[in-house]
Amino acid sequence: MEENLFNFIKDAVYNVTGKKGLVYDTDFVKDLGLTSFDVMNIVCIFEDHFDVEIPSRDVWKMHRVKDVIDYMIKKGYTEV
């Protein structure tokens, strides 16, 4: 389950930014230099795929890949 979510995140980040080399502790801003526009585009991919709305207040708490995986598992969005 975690690995599937991790791969989904890797693909989403690559599709939006062209950036590779993610690990669980990758910080989206510090390590990848993502802009708020990049982050929102990635969030849209998640929202479309899982047919959910992720509140902005939750998005800004997710700094690392692991944070996103933990959030998705906690909310029950695990079927990739």
Side-chain angles (χ1 to χ4, degrees):
M1 169 177 21
E2 267 191 45
E3 186 175 338
N4 291 339
L5 285 170
F6 177 69
N7 289 327
F8 185 80
I9 295 166
K10 282 191 337 185
D11 291 343
V13 169
Y14 179 75
N15 289 334
V16 170
T17 68
K19 297 187 185 256
K20 296 181 180 180
L22 270 67
V23 295
Y24 283 89
D25 286 328
T26 298
D27 185 289
F28 295 108
V29 175
K30 291 178 184 175
D31 297 330
L32 298 179
L34 300 189
T35 65
S36 57
F37 185 72
D38 293 331
V39 171
M40 292 315 294
N41 281 325
I42 293 166
V43 169
C44 286
I45 291 171
F46 272 81
E47 290 178 332
D48 289 345
H49 181 81
F50 292 101
D51 194 29
V52 298
E53 186 174 325
I54 302 171
S56 294
R57 69 180 174 274
D58 291 346
V59 171
W60 301 119
K61 294 177 186 174
M62 294 182 258
H63 301 279
R64 300 173 301 136
V65 172
K66 181 68 174 151
D67 299 335
V68 176
I69 292 170
D70 291 344
Y71 177 85
M72 299 304 284
I73 290 172
K74 180 180 174 185
K75 295 293 185 178
Y77 308 128
T78 57
E79 294 298 318
V80 177

